[in-house]
Amino acid sequence: MTTVIVFTIAILVVIAGFFLLDIEKIALNYWAFGSLLFSLAVSLLATLALVAPKENKGSVFYTGGLSSAIWIYEIMVVISVFFTNKFVEHMYRFVFLEIAINALFFISALVIYNVSARLQYNDAKTYKNLQSGEYNKPKRGGF
């Protein structure tokens, strides 16, 4: 619930800031505004997926990796929004940059999820083998 409240406040601050501050209403600024709102919504969903109960929720790689990816993603989007003035003449470059940032985040989130699930599976398999005494049995030719 706290996560939803924090992100709701952040979204409301961004919306209020865009409409109440003296920001020139051009297409590039609308793209920046939209990309910032989209990144906040994506971060909210990723954070909710992070705190939701999962079979691999105990995996340090999953929690640490996904939370780091969320922070890096948000920082990259905010930095790109601050430099919108550099893209005034070539708006398509800004759109491409935002698409690239989103694609990199989605790819890294999928990789983190898949690797953490694989690590969790391997850890569970190793633990099961330890409990069954599999590693206490001598190998062929051993003592």
Side-chain angles (χ1 to χ4, degrees), residues 7-77:
F7 275 98
T8 302
I9 291 171
I11 290 171
L12 290 175
V13 166
V14 168
I15 291 171
F18 182 74
F19 289 111
L20 295 178
L21 294 176
D22 189 27
I23 296 175
E24 187 179 358
K25 305 296 192 256
I26 59 173
L28 183 62
N29 288 340
Y30 281 114
W31 271 102
F33 172 66
S35 68
L36 189 57
L37 285 179
F38 181 73
S39 71
L40 284 171
V42 167
S43 296
L44 171 63
L45 293 176
T47 305
L48 289 176
L50 187 64
V51 297
K54 296 236 184 275
E55 61 188 40
N56 60 354
K57 74 175 184 176
S59 175
V60 173
F61 187 77
Y62 177 70
T63 41
L66 191 59
S67 61
S68 298
I70 292 169
W71 277 103
I72 292 170
Y73 170 63
E74 280 301 322
I75 290 170
M76 288 178 66
V77 169

Side-chain angles (χ1 to χ4, degrees), residues 75-93:
I75 290 170
M76 288 178 66
V77 169
V78 168
I79 288 173
S80 70
V81 167
F82 278 129
F83 291 109
T84 54
N85 291 336
K86 303 289 183 192
F87 297 100
V88 169
E89 296 174 4
H90 304 286
M91 189 176 77
Y92 64 91
R93 290 181 182 170

Side-chain angles (χ1 to χ4, degrees), residues 112-128:
I112 288 168
Y113 181 77
N114 287 331
V115 168
S116 66
R118 182 69 179 163
L119 288 174
Q120 184 73 14
Y121 172 76
N122 287 341
D123 289 347
K125 186 176 165 184
T126 302
Y127 182 74
K128 179 182 172 189

